[in-house]
Structure formats: C-alpha cells, structure tokens
Amino acid sequence: PASVEIEYYLPTVRDYKPYTADPVKTFAVVNTPSRMWGFVKLWGKIGLQYPMEYLDAFWMTNRGYWWLDDTTHAAIYGEGLEERQGYLLSDTKGGLGVEHTSLIPPLETLLERLFSANEYQRVPVLSLLFAPSLYVWFTVFFLFRGICRRKRELIVLCGFLLCYLLPLWFGACVLIRYAYPLVVCMPLLLGLSCDARPHCGRLKE
C-alpha cells in the first residue's frame, strides 16, 4: 500500500502538520541516489493520483503569507512561557556558551507573555500588525498603486520584495523572520506611495 511506501522514505510522516513540513522532511531517508530517485518517482505517482491534495498542502503550508487571520505561524515550534517558543523564539540552546540574562525582568516578563505565550493574539489590532500576510498584501497593494501612478521606484522596490518572497512559498513553513524584509520596507513603500512630486521616478508616457 501507498502508506507503507511513503513511510519507507518518510518514517515520521504521521507527525505531518499542514502548516509545517519540518517534522517530516527533517527525518526523510533519501541519503543515496537510488533512494532519492525512488522518492521522486513515488512523489510524482501519488501526485498524479491526488493533485488537489498536493495543491491544498501547498496553500496550507504557506497560509501565513496570504491569510490575515492565520495564527499557525506563531506556533510552529510550540508556544508557552516555559518553552520560550511561540511567535518569537527566545529560548537559549544548551552547549553553545550562551547564558540568558535579563537586565529588565518586568519588561522580559511582559514580552514573554505577549510573544512566547502568544497573548498578543488577544488584542485584535495588535495581532494583525504582527501577521506576515499583512505585509505581503501591503506590498501587492503598493505595487498596483505604483503601476497606476506610473512610479518607477515604487514598482521596482515592490517587485524586488515580491521576488524575495517567491522562494519562501516553497519553504517548509511561515515565520515572521522570513517576512522581516517586507516589514521593514513598509515605511519606505508608504513614503514613495505618498510622494506627490509630479515627475519623480515616473515612467515615461
């Protein structure tokens, strides 16, 4: 049966979660050319049988880049004050010679509650501001605005950011650190969009 064939290459396939491929791909057994070729053939064979499931899996893995109400990107590695995972990973790995020291414990406690326990999601506007998808949609909006106003700088910058985003769609999961370039460019995009100078960076008629 197909399930036995799949487990031959992906022994942890039963740990699969729709929003992250890491638990499965990390332990994939494709360490020889013959195994790799066998896996590729199996992937193609099953894909021909279940094309819609493959498409659904693709969109679910990238849900954090297009769905504004997504929260799965904040629990990729779990969440909670003890694990220090959640939206931002603030845990300290052992054996690296790095010690955790807080200079302002009350601030640390607040930030850990907000972004390790993911309590920021209880605040509607705040939670939206931390959604990666918001900045993807803003970039698309500014791109169309640049095209409509024929502003070269705005088009080029949005195009660059969307090209950066393209390989992320084929990644294992969505994390805010992957979308960080889009976040930090928002003030610049907004400034270029609001620039009312008649000939600054405009495309030729």
Side-chain angles (χ1 to χ4, degrees), residues 20-185:
T20 174
D22 276 341
V24 173
K25 77 175 183 64
T26 300
F27 299 100
V29 184
V30 287
N31 52 348
T32 65
S34 60
R35 274 185 169 269
M36 175 62 75
W37 179 237
F39 173 75
V40 170
K41 290 195 294 184
L42 179 64
W43 180 86
K45 182 180 75 172
I46 295 177
L48 290 175
Q49 294 176 342
Y50 304 100
M52 294 309 299
E53 282 75 6
Y54 271 37
L55 188 60
D56 284 344
F58 174 79
W59 287 115
M60 286 301 295
T61 304
N62 294 289
R63 179 173 153 176
Y65 291 133
W66 59 269
W67 183 248
L68 284 171
D69 204 29
D70 173 71
T71 57
T72 60
H73 65 274
I76 294 294
Y77 301 110
E79 59 183 338
L81 294 175
E82 292 184 4
E83 291 80 11
R84 292 178 178 266
Q85 301 291 312
Y87 183 78
L88 293 175
L89 310 184
S90 60
D91 61 320
T92 303
K93 304 298 182 184
L96 299 178
V98 178
E99 296 182 0
H100 179 88
T101 303
S102 174
L103 299 179
I104 311 177
L107 178 60
E108 179 195 26
T109 300
L110 173 62
L111 294 177
E112 290 291 345
R113 286 181 56 193
L114 285 174
F115 300 110
S116 287
N118 287 337
E119 292 189 10
Y120 78 94
Q121 294 172 358
R122 299 184 181 185
V123 187
V125 176
L126 183 65
S127 63
L128 186 62
L129 291 176
F130 287 97
S133 56
L134 177 69
Y135 301 96
V136 174
W137 286 114
F138 267 143
T139 303
V140 172
F141 167 77
F142 285 127
L143 174 64
F144 280 101
R145 182 170 173 82
I147 293 172
C148 291
R149 299 187 63 190
R150 303 178 69 83
K151 292 183 69 68
R152 189 190 311 272
E153 293 98 332
L154 192 55
I155 295 172
V156 170
L157 182 54
C158 290
F160 175 80
L161 290 173
L162 292 176
C163 286
Y164 161 80
L165 182 66
L166 183 62
L168 298 184
W169 285 85
F170 297 93
C173 61
V174 176
L175 292 171
I176 186 61
R177 66 174 182 261
Y178 299 159
Y180 189 65
L182 279 72
V183 177
V184 297
C185 283

